[in-house]
Amino acid sequence: MKPVTLSRRNFLQSGLMSLALLPVPAIALSPSQSRRIDDLIAKMTIEEKAGQLSMFPGANRSAAADAINPATVSGSKEQQAEQVRQGQIGSLFNGAGLEWHREMQEVAVKQSRLGIPILFAADIIHGFRTIYPIPIAEAASFDTDLAQRTARAAAIEGTNEGFAWTFAPMVDISRDARWGRSTEGAGEDVLLGRHFAAARVKGFQGDKGLTAPDSLMATVKHFAAYGAAEAGLDYNTVDVSERTLYETYFPPFQAGLDAGAPTVMAAFNEISGVPAHANSWLMKDILRKKWGFKGLIISDYTGDLELVDHGFAKDEREAAKLAFLAGVDMSMTSGLYLKYLPDLVKSGEVPEELVDISVRYVLEMKEKLGLFEDPFNRLKAKKPITAPTNRKLSHEAALRSVVMLKNENKLLPLPTSGKKIALIGPTIDRQTDQNGSWVIWGRPADTTPLQDVIRKSMKNPADLLTAKGSDIEKPLEGGIAEAVKAAEAADIVVLVIGEGERMAGESKSRTEIIVPPPQQELAEAVAKTGKPIVVVLKNGRAMALSGAVADASSILVTWFLGTESSAAISDLLFGKASPSGRLPCSFPHVSGQSPYYYDHKPTGRPVRDATPDIEYRARFREVLNTAAYPFGHGLTYGEIEYGDVDVGGGQLPANGNITVKATVTNKGSHEALEVAQLYIHDRYASITRPVRQLKGYQLVTLKPGESKTVTFSLKREDLLFVGQKNEWTVEPGTFDVWISPSAQAGKAAQFELLG
Ligand code: GLC
């Protein structure tokens, strides 16, 4: 069947312009701003130009800032100030303190030859001093407005301390939960990834333009396909097809750029043999030419220097040359541009015109941020932030991020009186292991131990028994015995187990996505008491649950929820709020299924039914290749039923749309916030198609007994895929369509795409 390639006009009409190869909106400068930049560049020496293209960790850095990167040597504050004075530094990141930022800006604008202001950047990923749920947890809300609000709140706190630029949002699609950095993104799905990328960019930057003092310039990272690392091993080889890049890994970047992100961070990994930091196809052909990107491309940490370890550059000098010529405008941390660019220009290996173009990108960012007009526009705060400023929002986000996987016999919500509760787990008395990874300015001291909140929530505090039972990755001497004793004396057990916050994040790939064995042992021992168990899972990634953990009556996936973690968990346990989150990542049966993702291909031997022990089909000997808990899954305290999908006449005309609807009813006695999801499957096409693809979702509040009709409209452009010539296309034929509560639920209806 001949694929119908969309005309550009049709394509532009579609809602998919974010996938289009349209020039990304550049933030226009005024003629006087452009002239100022031209004048500056004309005056700059090549050394000063190399300085503007160099970013370093702030010399005045906290221990938390030190801990998130490989050890780096930055000179003393005085040495760094001298480098700024000499025009050798254009940007600093993750430095601590309002005062220190003011000092450095004074040096830059009043003591350096050209007075070019410093750009202060930071890893403000999911909060600044007020910490919100880790990004993958927040994606479980399926609520991009919430994500925009938390990013905005983080920007207001971060700019108060002088930061103008954040290295966020991370928009890497992650389909292998062994990879520790799935914690930072929006999970495995492209649509959700696109929506959260755009929302977070808009949140960080605000709607008053980058010159607004509380606007925090966003960076979409890590370009590209960092999440496709083989075996989920961080920094590992990536070898994916161009089609997979276009269909899966690029769209969230395009959505973030369309939302106005003016900077992109290159990824550490290679793609099919060419490291991203030296990949001119990625940075010039795709980003600059196809997408019309006119912003700034920065290295990730020492990613330019790492071209030597990749075996792609013979030495540092060549690494600098390759990274710069491939399109990395600014070098973060390695100092390679400061060290080698002047010589590379003098030798003629790097044209100075190219250096001027990169310098222009940097100076344009500083202009757009208003730093030339007022270098202190983000340094006017009277005093630094010394406590969380938005607990209420953090609490709301935490409530919305929790996913209830199961709730047998309606064990949850728990009564606040009349029952003895044993709260067991290594972190129940801790303030750590609540904020998650990528937290520099947030403080464990700002959180509250879960046991304290639970005790306060109970009518009779004496009804709460506590026992740690184990450490996070090591057994605890006598811990299990103590925990069993507490369980035996209680009516209900709340078992708080899972990963510690230092088990997920950068360089935290795990061979098995399981509850650490000592805690699994604790769970098995506690389960033997026969008491009903609520598992409160702490996790930075999708997990493969087993044994007593998987068999618990109720399971809440609580991720790392930030400053208000304990209060939110308590509210959900005792029914002050109803769980509403949905999995943004599939929970497989076992780690060995990784990488597992719901929108996988059918293969030529799909398992059509769950016939036990069926052979010669695409399944493992031990398990069917399905999810234990699929993408989109999440229960509420309501009892939600979905009616059949109504596709009307069942025909989607070439230039029309089709309305797809279903009735959703809450048969329970608690109000519920349901996330109704729209999935399609293209039954046959010139490129194999996933068994399901999310094409829409709606958040629906349902009172007890209430029914609502959920209506979606699909156009031909919503069904696009990347064809054999790597162009977006669509072909007439039969499509399955679901409106369902997860990627594995529901009964399909069919419609015909006519043209
Ligand atoms: C890290 C991360 C990147 C972060 C940067 C600065 O290695 O890969 O996401 O923004 O370095 O801390």
Side-chain angles (χ1 to χ4, degrees), residues 154-361:
I156 289 168
E157 285 191 346
T159 51
N160 182 81
E161 304 290 288
F163 292 107
W165 182 12
T166 181
F167 303 138
M170 181 274 218
V171 301
D172 300 307
I173 294 290
S174 162
R175 310 188 129 189
D176 189 328
R178 293 172 294 181
W179 191 51
R181 299 198 73 168
S182 48
T183 190
E184 295 171 54
E188 67 192 49
D189 179 68
V190 177
L191 184 75
L192 211 60
R194 285 169 47 206
H195 290 180
F196 275 80
R200 287 169 172 157
V201 167
K202 289 177 190 155
F204 285 127
Q205 300 194 155
D207 56 10
K208 301 192 291 291
L210 291 177
T211 50
D214 68 0
S215 177
L216 191 62
M217 181 166 75
T219 305
V220 284
K221 70 183 185 182
H222 308 80
F223 197 58
Y226 183 23
E230 287 178 359
L233 175 61
D234 208 353
Y235 318 119
N236 202 13
T237 302
V238 167
D239 200 339
V240 291
S241 68
E242 199 174 326
R243 175 173 303 114
T244 299
L245 288 171
Y246 289 134
E247 272 203 285
T248 301
Y249 294 99
F250 285 170
F253 285 91
Q254 292 172 284
L257 295 175
D258 283 354
T263 68
V264 173
M265 184 185 290
F268 287 127
N269 52 283
E270 68 164 68
I271 298 180
S272 315
V274 181
H277 276 76
N279 198 316
S280 59
W281 176 77
L282 263 188
M283 290 185 278
K284 300 226 164 163
D285 298 348
I286 298 295
L287 202 44
R288 296 287 184 200
K289 290 186 193 126
K290 272 198 171 186
W291 297 354
F293 179 60
K294 294 178 173 54
L296 177 67
I297 302 171
I298 61 171
S299 78
D300 182 355
Y301 214 63
T302 51
D304 48 2
L305 174 60
E306 292 165 24
L307 295 175
V308 179
D309 281 339
H310 271 291
F312 197 79
K314 69 174 185 302
D315 56 27
E316 289 187 0
R317 185 179 186 281
E318 189 181 37
K321 178 174 151 188
L322 291 173
F324 183 77
L325 291 176
V328 176
D329 298 306
M330 181 187 278
S331 170
M332 173 203 290
T333 303
S334 72
L336 288 192
Y337 286 12
L338 191 62
K339 199 167 168 187
Y340 295 108
L341 264 187
D343 177 49
L344 286 164
V345 166
K346 286 168 188 155
S347 68
E349 294 165 84
V350 169
E352 186 153 9
E353 299 71 47
L354 292 185
V355 174
D356 291 353
I357 290 170
S358 295
V359 170
R360 180 178 302 280
Y361 285 133

